[in-house]
Amino acid sequence: MVTSAAPLLLLAMTLPLLGSPSVPASQPGEGQAGGESEKQMQQDNGASGSVQIAVYVSLDFVNKAWPPELSSTLAKPSALSSSSSRALSGLSLTTECDAKQDGHFHCGCLPGYQWNANICSHHSLCPHSYKGPPCACLIFNHPEPVYCQLLPPGFQKEERASPATSCLSAVPGKLSLDSTLPTPASTLQLTLRTHQAATGLHWSLQAIGSPVPINLWPGTQVSLDASSQGQAALSISNLSQDWAGEYTCHFEAQGFWWELHQEVRVPLQEADVALLPDKLSVSCAASSGFQLSCCFPGTHPPYKASWSPDEGSTVSLLNKLGSQCLVLTVPSCPPADTEYTCELQSPELDTVRVSISVTLIQGGDNFCPENSLDIRWNVTKAGFVAQAPCPVDRIGMITRSCGPDGAWGPVNNTCTDARLLDLLRRARLLQAGQHLPAEEVPQLLEEFPEQVTRVSSPSDLLTLLDTMTVLANVVDEANIELGQSPLKALLNTTDRILDLGNSSLWAPAQAQLPLASSHLLLAVETLASRLRPQDHPFSCTLPSVQLQTQLLGDTLATNYNASFSTQPPLWVQVPRHSLVPLVHSKATVSITSLLLKKLDHLLPSNYAQGLGDSLRVTPGLVLSVSIMAGGQAFKKGEVIMDFGNRDGTPHCVFWDHGLFHGEGGWSDEGCQAQAAKADSTTQCVCQHLTAFSILMSRHTVPKSPVLVLLTQLGLGASIAALLVCLAVYRLVWRVVVRNKVAYFRHAALLNVVLCLLAADTCFLGSPLLPQGPHSPLCLATAFLCHFLYLATFFWMLAQALMLAHQLLFVFHQLSKHWVLPLMVALGYLCPLGFAGCTLGLYLPQGQYLGEGNCWLDGKRGALYMFAGPVLVIVGVNGLVVAMAVLKLLRPSLSEGPQVEKRQALVGVIKALLVLTPIYGLTWGFGLATLIDEVSEVSHYIFIVLNTSQGVFILLFGCLMDKKVQEALRKRFCRTLPSSSTISLATNETSMLEQSKEEVKMSDTKQV
């Protein structure tokens, strides 16, 4: 039709001439003019055959409507009919063009004619042309001398032979279905067999409820096979309602585009029907009636739903977007427990039945009372789960269990925003094979910024993250590229998601799915590296996301460098030698540097072998470097990163998505730290490309040469002092162990000296041994140090327990026959058990030895198997020392003159000086080194006190003992000291004697 605003019409008429049928008809292609046809007519004037010619006519209807008679069969002109040289057999229209107000012409083919494939490939289809034959209407910018061509012989107007099959009679092929009624979850098989050579084969689906056909591609459920000559197949696995509709096979043959159609119907199954509630308990005393809902998706042909029994009840049908709900309103309680059935019937599909059991609450049954705090919860029988619908625009269920004792449980809310679920559904169908990824992925990404504002619950967040993961998988599988607009939408959405880390959404979301943050990192990495070459360079700076991209040219003169505005500044470099092979390969090479803040704090605290545990922290950012070469990700290549001058010693790591059975974790494989040449910062050098960060200990131990020197000097002095102590005991042993109390004390102290001497010797010599878990000598040294140091503390514990016994039970005598075996068991068997368990637990996991030394791994639990028992023993020994001090203070400060009080205080100070090193209380300073941001002074104090413990034992435990002094004087001086000599005998024996005298004085006063 042509309106007054469209005055031109281009017509093409085909004139078949009578003659011999052996002469083939000609089909002019695009660009043929009317003049050429006239010349052809003149050249064939005297020929014996017949030809088909076309005449182009341009009709001008200014301010006039299209004459209806022109659409009918045209009468033959009498002049041509009576010509002796030519006989005109018929005259018909082939093409109608409608001039639009925008200056374009919509040219459509009349029945029996069609645009050939060549012309169709150079012009756009008219709107809604998919509803008619293939390539039936095209858009032209101006009138052109082209026309629709006559279809091959045998063409007839499309007719639907049956509800399940339709085709054109002249189509050179046949489409068949393996089953007339496929079952859900089965595999659909469509097979095309062609009689002519076919090209450009593709498939589409007009799904139920979809306004336009959906192009299919080989996704996770769609398989396309065109390997056989003259045959092609389409397979759809795991069939569901999403795949019901009319399938169309498009292909080119004989110069035209052809279509074959096949309708596929999929019956509903029980899983497609949603019941609310699916189980119900009713109290007739508290409620007079109830409602049941049965919701099901729309199908073709549609299902008819009904409830049974429905006597006395009201049934109403509610239409929702793409689905229907049949609501049964029961006005009163049934006489007994009843099962209500929702039945869905269709004349051509299988019947579906789903049931809801309604149980009456009888007298004596436990039940949860009605509750209306946030949601109205009706009276529910014990053991049942009450259900409530989600608010408007949210899909899911709100449930609350009623315990066996009639107490309500917590509310479980799985409601999710309907638009977010629809976005996820579209993404999953795209991954399955519906729609073309190059068209659909950008559209879905463009919707992200609006959809992220709808996230208000953990289920909403997980749904959006799931959508991002699915789209990243599609992009990677289909190897498509993105423009700047969808990439900006992705980055803005990621920025908003990372900001949610400060809210209460991430914690419960990760409790449901611990991999959520790792999936987010992988999805953003994949999508951000897919920018189209023509859109480089591109940069984007947001509060939590920064992106920089660059396209490398044919010649690469320098390294790739990128810097980010962080505090401290962060920069990354890819050396030229890593990029030259890619550039020389003539492939399009792009580099993407992506900085994600806050994400490292959301990632699981998983660490590979040799790395830290919860005592490690990351700097609040993750840097991802990606290289794409020819559409493929390039993973190997050196990258240098400088995270700035940060507190502590950094450990270069990357996030390995394959660790911990796919959960992901930090690994340092292929990465190492090196000092920067220009400043004092530390650089990370890695030999692969992925997401990087650094680990820093919360409790940083300063690595100072002064501390190392102090350790060596202290251990050396301690070893020398312990050897002197053994020599002294060799000289005075018989003199100092004449009573049982002294024997027990000095026996324990002697074992302390032996164990500490052996432990210090092993520890001091361990740096001389080969390092690493594969060195047997290093492994044995670590085990011996662990055992001997623990034995030292357990003998200290035995010594302290002896003192406590003598302070509490003054007149109770101990027997050597059972005390000594107990002390030996405590001093050697207990530490041996701890050391052996530590070796058995952590050595198979590669977590026994620390890095660069023959000692326990301080980053995992191995070191705690030493520190734990030591701190417990130090605590017990501290209590014993406190008991001794109180025993000294109690009688002296309550009675007597001021001089005696002063002497008692001096005695307490002396006791503390003696007992603190002997009982290992100096190891309590180790707690100070575990505090955040601890000063280096604490480390110096800890090292000086504990490496010199042998010196303290020699001075306070041995030489300052009154009996040892007397024995040495007798042996070397042969003279007794004067009575005025002041002794520092503040050891356990003197305190024991003083305690006994106090008890005697107390008894005398009572008498």
Side-chain angles (χ1 to χ4, degrees):
M1 291 287 179
V2 175
T3 64
S4 59
L8 295 179
L9 181 70
L10 181 66
L11 300 180
M13 294 177 287
T14 301
L15 285 73
L17 300 182
L18 297 176
S20 173
S22 62
V23 179
S26 65
Q27 295 184 4
E30 183 178 5
Q32 287 180 305
E36 295 177 355
S37 298
E38 293 173 359
K39 292 179 181 178
Q40 184 180 8
M41 184 186 295
Q42 294 172 1
Q43 292 173 359
D44 296 336
N45 188 20
S48 59
S50 64
V51 295
Q52 291 182 350
I53 63 175
V55 177
Y56 302 99
V57 181
S58 178
L59 303 180
D60 187 0
F61 298 94
V62 181
N63 298 325
K64 293 183 180 179
W66 171 262
E69 57 271 13
L70 289 182
S71 298
S72 60
T73 302
L74 300 181
K76 294 184 292 184
S78 58
L80 289 177
S81 300
S82 61
S83 174
S84 59
S85 60
R86 298 181 180 89
L88 181 62
S89 61
L91 183 63
S92 61
L93 300 178
T94 66
T95 312
E96 293 179 354
C97 293
D98 189 5
K100 300 296 183 180
Q101 294 186 8
D102 58 2
H104 294 92
F105 294 84
H106 291 197
C107 297
C109 299
L110 296 178
Y113 299 88
Q114 187 171 305
W115 293 109
N116 65 39
N118 185 29
I119 297 177
C120 190
S121 62
H122 288 83
H123 295 82
S124 301
L125 295 175
C126 300
H128 309 294
S129 61
Y130 56 84
K131 297 181 179 179
C135 203
C137 180
L138 300 179
I139 300 177
F140 292 86
N141 295 328
H142 54 80
E144 299 181 21
V146 291
Y147 59 95
C148 298
Q149 296 183 15
L150 182 67
L151 287 170
F155 172 81
Q156 297 178 3
K157 187 176 181 180
E158 179 181 3
E159 295 179 357
R160 305 281 177 174
S162 68
T165 306
S166 63
C167 64
L168 301 177
S169 59
V171 175
K174 183 180 180 181
L175 187 62
S176 60
L177 177 64
D178 60 346
S179 175
T180 56
L181 188 61
T183 58
S186 64
T187 299
L188 172 70
Q189 182 82 21
L190 284 172
T191 305
L192 170 69
R193 293 179 176 85
T194 58
H195 312 306
Q196 303 288 338
T199 59
L201 176 68
H202 64 279
W203 302 79
S204 65
L205 166 65
Q206 183 76 48
I208 299 175
S210 175
V212 295
I214 300 171
N215 291 313
L216 303 180
W217 71 287
T220 56
Q221 292 182 238
V222 176
S223 299
L224 304 178
D225 183 13
S227 57
S228 303
Q229 181 96 17
Q231 181 173 317
L234 167 69
S235 298
I236 310 292
S237 62
N238 196 21
L239 204 60
S240 65
Q241 282 296 315
D242 293 322
W243 300 94
E246 184 180 73
Y247 287 82
T248 302
C249 177
H250 312 260
F251 62 96
E252 180 185 348
Q254 296 178 300
F256 294 94
W257 277 105
W258 305 95
E259 292 179 352
L260 288 172
H261 305 274
Q262 177 67 53
E263 185 177 0
V264 174
R265 300 171 181 174
V266 181
L268 290 176
Q269 52 184 341
E270 291 186 10
D272 297 323
V273 183
L275 297 177
L276 180 66
D278 54 9
K279 190 177 181 181
L280 181 64
S281 62
V282 178
S283 172
C284 296
S287 173
S288 58
F290 52 88
Q291 278 190 343
L292 305 177
S293 297
C294 174
C295 301
F296 52 95
T299 60
H300 180 73
Y303 277 88
K304 183 179 180 181
S306 61
W307 280 101
S308 63
D310 60 352
E311 293 81 1
S313 303
T314 304
V315 179
S316 58
L317 183 64
L318 302 178
N319 290 314
K320 297 183 179 181
L321 183 61
S323 65
Q324 293 179 322
C325 289
L326 190 67
V327 180
L328 177 68
T329 302
V330 181
S332 58
C333 282
D337 294 350
T338 307
E339 185 175 89
Y340 291 84
T341 301
C342 177
E343 184 175 84
L344 305 179
Q345 292 181 331
S346 176
E348 302 177 16
L349 300 175
D350 296 339
T351 300
V352 181
R353 296 181 179 87
V354 289
S355 300
I356 301 177
S357 297
V358 177
T359 304
L360 299 183
I361 300 177
Q362 306 292 342
D365 291 341
N366 286 339
F367 62 88
C368 294
E370 183 177 352
N371 185 293
S372 303
L373 182 60
D374 295 324
I375 301 172
R376 181 180 177 182
W377 300 102
N378 294 324
V379 177
T380 302
K381 188 175 182 179
F384 279 63
V385 177
Q387 298 178 352
C390 294
V392 180
D393 296 332
R394 298 185 71 84
I395 298 176
M397 189 72 65
I398 306 175
T399 60
R400 193 177 186 185
S401 60
C402 179
D405 56 348
W408 283 110
V411 177
N412 182 25
N413 190 336
T414 62
C415 297
T416 307
D417 186 83
R419 294 187 183 181
L420 290 173
L421 286 175
D422 181 67
L423 193 69
L424 176 60
R425 175 180 175 274
R426 290 162 56 191
R428 286 178 173 170
L429 288 177
L430 173 63
Q431 185 182 32
Q434 293 190 17
H435 296 285
L436 298 181
E439 301 173 356
E440 190 71 4
V441 170
Q443 295 180 12
L444 294 176
L445 290 177
E446 294 279 8
E447 298 181 28
F448 273 20
E450 177 185 356
Q451 299 297 340
V452 73
T453 60
R454 309 182 69 86
V455 175
S456 60
S457 68
S459 60
D460 291 342
L461 177 59
L462 291 176
T463 301
L464 183 58
L465 295 178
D466 198 3
T467 305
M468 296 177 68
T469 300
V470 171
L471 292 184
N473 293 334
V474 171
V475 167
D476 186 58
E477 180 68 24
N479 195 20
I480 65 173
E481 297 173 336
L482 302 175
Q484 287 190 7
S485 180
L487 184 55
K488 287 181 181 178
L490 169 70
L491 298 178
N492 279 284
T493 303
T494 306
D495 184 71
R496 294 287 299 271
I497 290 176
L498 293 177
D499 284 341
L500 295 176
N502 299 326
S503 67
S504 59
L505 298 183
W506 266 104
Q510 288 184 303
Q512 299 180 41
L513 183 64
L515 306 179
S517 55
S518 182
H519 288 172
L520 172 63
L521 173 60
L522 182 59
V524 177
E525 278 186 296
T526 302
L527 294 171
S529 63
R530 297 288 178 163
L531 186 64
R532 297 178 305 193
Q534 61 268 30
D535 289 332
H536 291 275
F538 173 70
S539 63
C540 179
T541 301
L542 298 170
S544 299
V545 179
Q546 296 184 39
L547 177 73
Q548 296 184 26
T549 71
Q550 181 177 331
L551 190 67
L552 302 183
D554 297 335
T555 60
L556 186 64
T558 60
N559 303 326
Y560 165 79
N561 295 283
S563 60
F564 296 92
S565 56
T566 59
Q567 291 297 329
L570 166 67
W571 66 266
V572 59
Q573 179 185 94
V574 180
R576 180 177 179 274
H577 62 79
S578 295
L579 301 174
V580 167
L582 297 177
V583 175
H584 288 171
S585 65
K586 303 301 181 182
T588 302
V589 180
S590 63
I591 302 182
T592 301
S593 299
L594 175 67
L595 180 68
L596 301 173
K597 299 180 182 179
K598 308 175 185 177
L599 179 59
D600 56 333
H601 296 158
L602 299 175
L603 292 170
S605 299
N606 296 335
Y607 302 92
Q609 178 178 343
L611 288 181
D613 52 8
S614 59
L615 296 180
R616 293 279 191 174
V617 294
T618 47
L621 54 86
V622 174
L623 173 65
S624 173
V625 181
S626 306
I627 297 181
M628 299 295 296
Q632 300 296 324
F634 181 71
K635 295 296 185 182
K636 296 183 179 179
E638 183 178 351
V639 57
I640 304 173
M641 296 154 288
D642 193 323
F643 288 87
N645 189 8
R646 300 178 183 271
D647 297 333
T649 302
H651 199 111
C652 304
V653 293
F654 72 98
W655 186 258
D656 189 345
H657 293 277
L659 289 178
F660 299 99
H661 307 288
E663 185 175 338
W666 295 110
S667 173
D668 62 349
E669 184 178 357
C671 294
Q672 61 181 0
Q674 68 178 19
K677 298 179 180 179
D679 49 34
S680 60
T681 63
T682 301
Q683 295 179 352
C684 292
V685 181
C686 296
Q687 303 302 322
H688 49 75
L689 304 175
T690 181
F692 303 98
S693 189
I694 55 176
L695 295 180
M696 298 176 297
S697 175
R698 285 196 181 98
H699 319 298
T700 304
V701 179
K703 295 184 178 180
S704 170
V706 178
L707 290 177
V708 176
L709 181 60
L710 285 176
T711 301
Q712 295 174 350
L713 293 177
L715 288 176
S718 180
I719 292 173
L722 292 173
L723 290 174
V724 173
C725 188
L726 288 178
V728 170
Y729 269 129
R730 174 69 178 82
L731 296 175
V732 302
W733 181 258
R734 293 180 179 273
V735 178
V736 298
V737 295
R738 291 181 176 178
N739 60 69
K740 286 189 293 184
V741 174
Y743 179 83
F744 292 147
R745 172 186 175 274
H746 287 287
L749 187 59
L750 178 62
N751 281 276
V752 168
V753 170
L754 292 174
C755 294
L756 186 59
L757 175 63
D760 286 347
T761 304
C762 288
F763 195 87
L764 185 61
S766 61
L768 304 177
L769 301 176
Q771 308 293 315
H774 301 292
S775 172
L777 290 177
C778 186
L779 188 64
T781 301
F783 177 80
L784 285 176
C785 288
H786 187 197
F787 165 67
L788 291 172
Y789 277 120
L790 280 182
T792 299
F793 280 95
F794 273 98
W795 276 109
M796 291 179 182
L797 176 63
Q799 191 177 4
L801 293 178
M802 288 297 304
L803 175 60
H805 179 272
Q806 296 302 317
L807 290 175
L808 296 175
F809 308 101
V810 178
F811 299 103
H812 185 269
Q813 299 295 324
L814 297 176
S815 173
K816 287 186 180 180
H817 298 292
W818 62 271
V819 172
L820 282 179
L822 287 178
M823 293 176 66
V824 171
L826 180 65
Y828 289 113
L829 295 184
C830 289
L832 183 63
F834 276 102
C837 291
T838 305
L839 183 70
L841 287 175
Y842 292 98
L843 183 61
Q845 304 177 21
Q847 302 175 358
Y848 185 72
L849 292 180
E851 298 179 15
N853 55 59
C854 298
W855 180 234
L856 302 179
D857 187 358
K859 301 171 184 175
R860 277 165 284 245
L863 185 62
Y864 296 115
M865 295 293 285
F866 170 74
V870 167
L871 292 179
V872 171
I873 292 174
V874 169
V876 173
N877 291 358
L879 293 177
V880 174
V881 171
M883 290 170 54
V885 171
L886 291 176
K887 201 72 172 179
L888 289 172
L889 291 175
R890 187 179 61 187
S892 300
L893 295 183
S894 60
E895 301 176 2
Q898 189 70 22
V899 177
E900 292 184 2
K901 295 181 180 180
R902 192 179 306 112
Q903 290 178 350
L905 290 175
V906 173
V908 170
I909 295 174
K910 293 177 181 179
L912 290 176
L913 290 176
V914 172
L915 298 180
T916 297
I918 292 178
Y919 292 158
L921 302 186
T922 55
W923 283 77
F925 284 93
L927 292 175
T929 63
L930 300 179
I931 302 175
D932 284 336
E933 302 178 359
V934 66
S935 172
E936 291 188 14
V937 177
S938 299
H939 294 279
Y940 281 97
I941 295 175
F942 178 71
I943 288 177
V944 170
L945 290 178
N946 292 287
T947 57
S948 304
Q949 191 169 14
V951 178
F952 297 144
I953 290 177
L954 173 65
L955 294 176
F956 300 114
C958 182
L959 296 181
M960 294 185 66
D961 186 282
K962 185 170 76 171
K963 291 186 177 181
V964 172
Q965 293 177 5
E966 292 175 354
L968 289 176
R969 289 191 184 97
K970 287 180 181 181
R971 188 173 184 87
F972 293 105
C973 301
R974 303 295 181 183
T975 59
L976 293 176
S978 61
S979 59
S980 61
T981 303
I982 299 176
S983 174
L984 298 178
T986 54
N987 50 45
E988 295 95 324
T989 306
S990 62
M991 283 188 286
L992 173 62
E993 294 173 353
Q994 182 177 354
S995 298
K996 291 181 178 180
E997 292 176 359
E998 293 169 1
V999 173
K1000 291 179 180 179
M1001 293 175 60
S1002 176
D1003 293 341
T1004 302
K1005 292 179 179 180
Q1006 291 177 2
V1007 173

